[in-house]
Amino acid sequence: MFLAWKEFRAGKRKKTDVLVFEKNLKENILKLHRELKDKTYKHSDYVSFYINDPKLRKINKATVQDRVLHHAIFRKLYPAFDKLFIFDSYSCRDEKGTHRAVNRLRKFAGKVSKNNTKTCFFLKCDVKKFFDSIDHGILMELIKKEIKDNDSLWLIEKIIKSFSAAENKGLPLGNITSQLFANIYLNELDKFIKHSLKVKYYIRYCDEFLIIDTNSTHLENLIPKVSDFVDKNLNLFLHPEKTIIKKYRQGVDFLGYVSFPRHRILRTKTKNRIINKIKSKLFLLKQDKLSGQSFNQTIQSYFGVLKHCNGHKIKEKIAKLFCL
């Protein structure tokens, strides 16, 4: 609605069009309210498309009406559950994110290695096909532990069951609720690792997590315990090819960066993706198919990524692109 009035003030829309839009919006909201009150609401089908992020991912986009509900549910559930999450869970949470996670990694590694004077090991794990494998029944039981209102639970279950990758499994990439539901689900893993296994140095971002220790044998012994827990309690599996133990000095690939004891660099795939994206944007700019402002915003966003690592050489390579 705000956008419609903004376009009207800019001369891009007629006032009558905006008023019709406003009228339809009110009618749709009232209709949605009645459906929720009468419990006749049904979630619409998703529109699916693919993006490279950096690997090919299938995104499922809900209708505007459904997204309104997703945001309403998120606003109610987030404060109730976020306070239950461990500190070192960094995905889709206020004042967290990828850069805070990799900075925490460096801080933990400095403590474990006694400021890089001792050998430090990382156990890195990844849950196989995580979003497609989330069990609807297990998720609902976890939510019911905190949410007691039956009307709310009815609606939450409608959202969860609106998508399936397999029978009673899966959450759609694209819903704001999916990110929160993912954290609720894997909070069980976080608590197991922190409280049952007594792991002190642990970081998780979505379905990817790290454990840091000076003893590689200890880390090896943790793998079957963690694997058994996610299998029996969450109906999930660790990705065998992405369960790795490495020395810190060999470089730890985590969230787009490769971290070493005294520096951090961009992952090669991330670097190549940035260069290729800038090349394509530069081509569009030269063809007058992209504004200079939009192109500059792209460059500045990538420079923002590079300021968190040793990115001088990449900046030089980007600068050379302008001279082609």
Side-chain angles (χ1 to χ4, degrees):
M1 189 62 234
F2 172 76
L3 179 60
W5 279 104
K6 188 176 181 181
E7 289 177 346
F8 163 68
R9 288 196 297 271
K12 295 179 181 179
R13 284 199 187 206
K14 295 180 180 178
K15 187 173 182 180
T16 53
D17 292 337
V18 175
L19 293 173
V20 169
F21 178 85
E22 184 180 23
K23 181 175 180 290
N24 291 336
L25 178 63
K26 289 180 179 178
E27 289 176 352
N28 288 334
I29 291 174
L30 289 172
K31 177 176 176 289
L32 178 58
H33 178 266
R34 287 193 300 270
E35 290 176 351
L36 292 173
K37 187 177 180 180
D38 300 338
K39 292 191 175 179
T40 57
Y41 164 76
K42 292 182 179 180
H43 197 286
S44 301
D45 292 336
Y46 290 88
V47 175
S48 301
F49 57 94
Y50 290 88
I51 63 170
N52 286 301
D53 183 38
K55 64 182 180 181
L56 194 66
R57 296 181 186 273
K58 186 178 182 180
I59 303 299
N60 295 280
K61 185 178 180 181
T63 64
V64 173
Q65 173 181 274
D66 294 327
R67 293 204 303 272
V68 168
L69 279 183
H70 297 170
H71 279 270
I73 291 169
F74 180 88
R75 288 179 62 186
K76 288 294 183 181
L77 293 187
Y78 181 85
F81 281 95
D82 188 70
K83 63 186 179 183
L84 304 177
F85 299 156
I86 66 166
F87 182 86
D88 287 304
S89 165
Y90 287 88
S91 175
C92 302
R93 297 179 65 195
D94 294 343
E95 299 183 9
K96 299 288 183 178
T98 56
H99 297 134
R100 297 224 173 178
V102 292
N103 286 337
R104 187 70 161 171
L105 179 159
R106 180 172 57 189
K107 183 176 182 179
F108 278 174
K111 288 183 177 180
V112 174
S113 65
K114 305 294 183 183
N115 290 325
N116 304 317
T117 60
K118 291 186 176 183
T119 302
C120 177
F121 295 90
F122 281 77
L123 166 60
K124 180 183 173 186
C125 299
D126 193 296
V127 178
K128 188 175 183 179
K129 295 182 179 179
F130 172 55
F131 277 93
D132 284 347
S133 302
I134 291 175
D135 187 292
H136 292 173
I138 294 173
L139 177 58
M140 277 304 301
E141 288 304 312
L142 294 174
I143 292 172
K144 286 178 182 178
K145 289 181 180 180
E146 298 301 321
I147 306 300
K148 305 302 180 183
D149 179 71
N150 289 330
D151 290 338
S152 297
L153 290 171
W154 171 82
L155 181 56
I156 292 166
E157 189 167 26
K158 283 279 186 183
I159 302 300
I160 291 173
K161 291 186 177 296
S162 67
F163 175 88
S164 291
E167 187 176 358
N168 295 317
K169 282 188 175 184
L171 293 177
L173 286 172
N175 283 6
I176 187 173
T177 49
S178 294
Q179 308 298 331
L180 176 59
F181 292 155
N183 276 334
I184 292 171
Y185 207 82
L186 287 183
N187 187 49
E188 299 302 297
L189 172 63
D190 298 340
K191 291 188 295 185
F192 172 73
I193 290 176
K194 292 291 291 182
H195 304 150
S196 298
L197 298 182
K198 307 296 183 183
V199 171
K200 187 174 182 180
Y201 299 107
Y202 167 76
I203 299 170
R204 181 178 64 79
Y205 189 95
C206 195
D207 58 343
E208 191 174 354
F209 59 93
L210 298 172
I211 298 174
I212 313 165
D213 204 279
T214 55
N215 189 330
S216 61
T217 302
H218 174 62
L219 293 178
E220 288 175 8
N221 292 334
L222 289 178
I223 295 173
K225 295 177 182 178
V226 174
S227 180
D228 186 61
F229 177 85
V230 297
D231 178 10
K232 292 181 178 178
N233 293 272
L234 299 175
N235 203 8
L236 299 173
F237 298 94
L238 297 184
H239 200 304
E241 296 176 7
K242 296 182 180 180
T243 301
I244 303 166
I245 295 176
K246 292 185 72 174
K247 293 179 181 178
Y248 187 28
R249 61 179 172 81
Q250 293 176 300
V252 179
D253 189 335
F254 187 55
L255 303 179
Y257 298 96
V258 182
S259 297
F260 296 88
R262 303 192 185 281
H263 69 290
R264 182 191 301 153
I265 62 174
L266 266 188
R267 179 189 292 163
T268 301
K269 287 183 179 180
T270 305
K271 178 182 67 176
N272 292 339
R273 190 168 76 252
I274 287 176
I275 296 299
N276 290 333
K277 284 275 189 181
I278 291 176
K279 284 181 179 179
S280 65
K281 294 279 188 179
L282 189 58
F283 176 79
L284 292 174
L285 180 68
K286 290 179 178 180
Q287 298 292 317
D288 292 326
K289 295 180 179 179
L290 183 72
S291 69
Q293 181 182 4
S294 179
F295 179 77
N296 184 60
Q297 288 174 346
T298 299
I299 297 298
Q300 293 306 316
S301 68
Y302 287 140
F303 280 174
V305 172
L306 294 173
K307 75 179 183 180
H308 294 277
C309 66
N310 294 61
H312 180 69
K313 289 184 179 180
I314 303 174
K315 286 183 178 180
E316 288 183 343
K317 193 169 184 178
I318 291 172
K320 288 180 181 178
L321 293 176
F322 294 91
C323 301
L324 294 178

